[in-house]
Amino acid sequence: MSTKIILLAHGSGGRLTHTLIRNTLLKKLNNPILAKLGDGAVINYKEKIVFTTDSFVVSPLFFPGGDIGKLAVSGTINDLVMMGSAPEYLSLALIMEEGFDQAILEKIIESIALSAKLAGVKIITGDTKVVEKGAVDRIFINTSGIGRLVLKKELSISNITVGDKIILTGNIAEHGLSVLAKRRELDLGFNIKSDCQPLNDLILPLLKHEGAIKFMRDPTRGGVATTLNEIAASAGLGIIIEEKFIPISQKVRVACELLGIDPLYVANEGSALLVVSPKKAYSMVKMLRKQPKGLHAGVIGEVINQPKGRLVLRTIFNTQRILDMLTSEPLPRIC
Amino acid sequence: MSTKIILLAHGSGGRLTHTLIRNTLLKKLNNPILAKLGDGAVINYKEKIVFTTDSFVVSPLFFPGGDIGKLAVSGTINDLVMMGSAPEYLSLALIMEEGFDQAILEKIIESIALSAKLAGVKIITGDTKVVEKGAVDRIFINTSGIGRLVLKKELSISNITVGDKIILTGNIAEHGLSVLAKRRELDLGFNIKSDCQPLNDLILPLLKHEGAIKFMRDPTRGGVATTLNEIAASAGLGIIIEEKFIPISQKVRVACELLGIDPLYVANEGSALLVVSPKKAYSMVKMLRKQPKGLHAGVIGEVINQPKGRLVLRTIFNTQRILDMLTSEPLPRIC
């Protein structure tokens, strides 16, 4: 085969599909379960598992700090981690446009393979579809995942009580701004790297303190403000965060000011929001800061009684304002 | 909300995403695990499970006998069944184009809900993305699935031996031709209904005869000829099928002749190929024929020693010819 672009026949289920699967996918994602090429994969579980799914439509496909492949692995891993589970298995479903460059596909698959390997998860089942040119923008990826629940008691918003601390594990807005800057070819005079990364190594050790973490969620689409709004609304309690404690890099601060964007609404792909009992919060921050992915971790706020269901920001000028959920879409296709 | 089309903001993770999820998805797919709206879903397993994924990009979205929603549920259920498992849980990931008609979305979700209910599976986790107009053709759907392995011994191509019978459970080519006729607005003078249907009720009772079925696969993309080629190649044995025994409706036969299409290469979405030990094959056909979905089931051929890795067709004129794997893509976006 000298073909270097994806043809419709690569998605036909016939000979070219097989060539693509064997030469590109199996070779790079090699593991014995996937290599069976069954209609699915058999795995053995004797306990509670977590099941999740996420599609990735990010544009551009490559951005400082990551690409659609790394994102597809990290995003689903992080959803599993946020549910209190140790990620073990992923599926990989590709939808490509006819004419898509095979060299780019190989780069993406290599990134997927490397990200999965570093995170200790296996890709064990998959699907490949090719649609005619124009029916999809280059490539979309779905990863679903299975994790082993490591907590005896499931995390739940209903565990949250007044006084619980809100921990954020990393600097905000880096993923969204990285993608935005690359897409619009903005010359900021500096690069902003996406924080896109799997968080199982950072977060899972914290779960040994059964009961200390009440709830976790990664502030992806809609950013920290939208995610905390969701938590406040579901808990029927208020949340207050302190602007001065929100970890943000100087580059991101400058870029947000230049672009007129509120970084609290920008997507993150490598940090987590933890709601933690006040007794354990500061020791947890200490643990987090010992790891490279948790260097900027800190308590950014706490759960309060009023206003119920709302998120309040105490600004650096000591004024307070309500932060609503994101209502428009400033940055589509961020993940 | 009087909005009747999908906006980018429906995929922002913010307020409109929540409205869409609560008013359309949760309302129609209602079950307590999904309603938790976690980053994933917790399920309890004490045994071997099967994990699979499939994306659906069919065009048109609605065709006689089915639609993209019914297909997305049936296709993933059938992959789980082919692995010898009882389907239990599905994920649902939607990628929609900005401007997509919400009424059509609701019809698709209703079809998903109904198909899942009839098949006894639950949709317990999901994801919704919206991309700008033109970045995807209306809607693509990924379903991943988890089933409970019901066999002690996993099905495997390596179990296949010379003399095993090939059973096909239903008429061929109905799905592919239904979609093709609808897409090209062909006036055949009659309607061909897709065979799109979940097969768990038809196939799972057969698995009580542990060891009788060696291997199963549903002949979707590439049709019966491509699927049997895959099996022959992997088993390192030959397969011969008898043209006179291949179940095909008169309508499909006529349509294929008119269109110059070989029905053995056309996709099916509601039938299965079973490789069965010769002692059990005919009693299994009897069992299959007692059910509406298995009315046309029959033994269509058997596993032979030579030619290794190839599929042979004995025609109605008693001549033999090799059937190769599908090499081009006559019917893209069939599933």
Side-chain angles (χ1 to χ4, degrees):
Chain A
M1 283 300 306
S2 67
T3 313
K4 292 289 172 51
I5 58 167
I6 295 296
L7 305 174
L8 276 174
H10 279 115
S12 68
R15 191 157 305 283
L16 277 182
T17 308
H18 283 250
T19 308
L20 179 69
I21 288 173
R22 292 199 184 274
N23 292 0
T24 300
L25 294 162
L26 277 192
K27 217 155 110 186
K28 295 186 201 297
L29 304 173
N30 192 31
N31 74 60
I33 309 183
L34 184 64
K36 287 184 182 175
L37 287 182
D39 275 327
V42 177
I43 43 191
N44 204 354
Y45 273 100
K46 295 231 175 280
E47 46 209 323
K48 281 195 179 175
I49 62 173
V50 176
F51 180 34
T52 191
T53 190
D54 216 342
S55 298
F56 298 86
V57 298
V58 67
S59 174
L61 299 174
F62 297 85
F63 45 84
D67 57 79
I68 190 171
K70 184 181 180 189
L71 192 59
V73 172
S74 304
T76 293
I77 284 178
N78 292 347
D79 280 349
L80 291 172
V81 172
M82 293 303 105
M83 294 288 297
S85 78
E88 300 202 333
Y89 298 108
L90 298 186
S91 64
L92 175 66
L94 309 174
I95 303 175
M96 291 177 284
E97 173 180 47
E98 181 188 19
F100 187 61
D101 186 337
Q102 278 213 31
I104 298 179
L105 175 63
E106 299 219 353
K107 266 184 79 175
I108 292 169
I109 300 296
E110 273 162 22
S111 172
I112 288 172
L114 180 65
S115 304
K117 192 180 170 188
L118 290 175
V121 301
K122 289 196 174 69
I123 290 157
I124 57 169
T125 190
D127 178 56
T128 303
K129 293 283 190 301
V130 181
V131 296
E132 69 273 21
K133 196 157 182 60
V136 74
D137 183 11
R138 292 162 298 158
I139 184 170
F140 290 171
I141 298 179
N142 177 283
T143 48
S144 298
I146 293 179
R148 188 175 34 80
L149 198 70
V150 296
L151 291 167
K152 282 183 210 100
K153 193 181 169 195
E154 278 175 49
L155 298 175
S156 164
I157 283 182
S158 63
N159 299 333
I160 298 174
T161 55
V162 172
D164 285 345
K165 300 293 183 187
I166 309 293
I167 294 175
L168 179 60
T169 66
N171 281 340
I172 61 168
E174 294 180 347
H175 175 72
L177 280 179
S178 166
V179 170
L180 179 73
K182 177 81 182 177
R183 190 188 304 165
R184 299 203 188 148
E185 293 176 9
L186 297 180
D187 186 9
L188 295 167
F190 50 80
N191 247 339
I192 294 174
K193 268 179 75 175
S194 165
D195 65 345
C196 163
Q197 60 187 359
L199 292 172
N200 44 346
D201 53 347
L202 180 71
I203 300 292
L204 293 179
L206 304 180
L207 298 181
K208 284 172 194 156
H209 304 273
E210 181 90 32
I213 297 180
K214 309 289 190 78
F215 189 74
M216 300 190 273
R217 186 156 277 185
D218 51 340
T220 56
R221 281 182 290 177
V224 166
T226 302
T227 304
L228 289 178
N229 256 288
E230 286 170 12
I231 296 174
S234 296
L237 293 167
I239 291 176
I240 187 162
I241 56 175
E242 303 272 348
E243 191 175 11
K244 64 173 181 264
F245 293 149
I246 292 166
I248 182 168
S249 76
Q250 191 55 28
K251 283 180 182 177
V252 167
R253 192 191 302 276
V254 169
C256 282
E257 274 168 19
L258 280 170
L259 299 168
I261 290 174
D262 185 341
L264 283 167
Y265 289 93
V266 177
N268 312 279
E269 291 289 342
S271 68
L273 284 162
L274 318 179
V275 188
V276 181
S277 75
K279 277 186 290 187
K280 297 280 185 184
Y282 293 93
S283 63
M284 219 161 251
V285 166
K286 236 187 232 174
M287 282 182 70
L288 285 164
R289 286 188 180 163
K290 283 185 189 149
Q291 296 193 55
K293 292 180 184 176
L295 269 185
H296 304 288
V299 171
I300 65 163
E302 65 178 30
V303 178
I304 53 180
N305 198 25
Q306 296 285 349
K308 294 212 186 302
R310 306 309 296 266
L311 173 65
V312 181
L313 177 77
R314 182 150 39 217
T315 68
I316 46 173
F317 309 110
N318 205 23
T319 58
Q320 292 192 7
R321 63 183 169 94
I322 296 284
L323 294 179
D324 208 343
M325 217 178 247
L326 182 68
T327 48
S328 67
E329 174 51 288
L331 300 169
R333 297 184 63 185
I334 217 68
C335 58
Chain B
M1 284 299 305
S2 65
T3 312
K4 292 289 171 49
I5 59 167
I6 295 295
L7 305 173
L8 276 173
H10 280 114
S12 69
R15 192 159 303 283
L16 276 183
T17 308
H18 283 250
T19 307
L20 180 68
I21 289 173
R22 291 198 184 275
N23 292 359
T24 299
L25 294 161
L26 277 192
K27 217 154 109 186
K28 296 185 200 298
L29 304 172
N30 192 31
N31 74 60
I33 309 183
L34 184 64
K36 288 184 182 174
L37 286 182
D39 275 327
V42 177
I43 43 191
N44 204 355
Y45 273 100
K46 295 230 175 282
E47 45 207 325
K48 282 196 178 173
I49 62 172
V50 175
F51 180 34
T52 192
T53 190
D54 216 341
S55 297
F56 297 87
V57 298
V58 67
S59 175
L61 299 174
F62 297 86
F63 44 84
D67 57 78
I68 190 172
K70 183 181 180 189
L71 193 59
V73 172
S74 304
T76 293
I77 284 179
N78 292 347
D79 281 349
L80 292 172
V81 172
M82 294 303 103
M83 294 289 296
S85 77
E88 299 203 334
Y89 298 109
L90 299 186
S91 64
L92 176 67
L94 308 174
I95 303 175
M96 290 176 286
E97 173 181 46
E98 181 188 20
F100 187 61
D101 186 336
Q102 278 213 32
I104 297 178
L105 175 64
E106 300 219 352
K107 265 184 80 175
I108 292 169
I109 300 297
E110 275 162 21
S111 172
I112 289 172
L114 180 65
S115 304
K117 192 180 171 191
L118 289 175
V121 301
K122 289 196 174 68
I123 291 157
I124 57 169
T125 190
D127 178 56
T128 304
K129 294 282 191 300
V130 180
V131 296
E132 69 274 21
K133 196 157 183 61
V136 74
D137 182 12
R138 293 162 295 159
I139 185 170
F140 290 171
I141 298 179
N142 178 283
T143 48
S144 297
I146 292 180
R148 187 175 35 80
L149 198 70
V150 295
L151 291 167
K152 283 184 209 98
K153 194 183 168 193
E154 277 174 50
L155 297 175
S156 164
I157 283 182
S158 63
N159 298 333
I160 297 175
T161 55
V162 172
D164 284 345
K165 300 294 182 186
I166 309 294
I167 294 176
L168 179 59
T169 66
N171 282 340
I172 60 169
E174 294 181 348
H175 176 71
L177 280 180
S178 167
V179 170
L180 179 73
K182 176 83 183 178
R183 189 188 305 164
R184 299 204 186 146
E185 294 176 10
L186 297 180
D187 186 9
L188 295 166
F190 50 79
N191 246 339
I192 294 173
K193 269 179 74 175
S194 165
D195 65 346
C196 163
Q197 60 187 359
L199 292 171
N200 44 348
D201 53 346
L202 180 71
I203 301 292
L204 293 178
L206 304 179
L207 297 181
K208 284 173 194 156
H209 305 272
E210 182 90 31
I213 297 180
K214 310 290 191 77
F215 189 74
M216 299 190 275
R217 187 156 275 185
D218 52 340
T220 56
R221 281 183 290 177
V224 167
T226 301
T227 303
L228 289 178
N229 256 287
E230 287 169 13
I231 296 174
S234 297
L237 293 167
I239 292 176
I240 187 163
I241 55 175
E242 303 272 348
E243 191 174 10
K244 64 173 181 263
F245 293 148
I246 293 166
I248 181 167
S249 75
Q250 189 56 26
K251 283 180 181 178
V252 167
R253 192 191 302 275
V254 168
C256 283
E257 274 168 20
L258 280 171
L259 299 166
I261 291 173
D262 185 342
L264 283 166
Y265 288 93
V266 177
N268 311 280
E269 291 289 342
S271 68
L273 284 162
L274 318 179
V275 187
V276 182
S277 76
K279 275 185 289 188
K280 296 280 184 182
Y282 293 93
S283 63
M284 218 162 251
V285 167
K286 235 186 233 173
M287 281 182 70
L288 286 164
R289 287 190 180 162
K290 282 185 190 149
Q291 296 194 54
K293 292 179 184 176
L295 268 186
H296 303 289
V299 171
I300 64 163
E302 66 177 31
V303 178
I304 53 180
N305 198 25
Q306 296 286 349
K308 292 211 187 303
R310 307 309 297 266
L311 173 65
V312 180
L313 176 75
R314 181 146 44 213
T315 68
I316 45 172
F317 309 110
N318 205 25
T319 59
Q320 293 192 6
R321 64 185 168 93
I322 297 284
L323 294 179
D324 208 344
M325 217 178 245
L326 183 68
T327 49
S328 68
E329 174 51 288
L331 299 169
R333 297 185 64 186
I334 216 68
C335 58

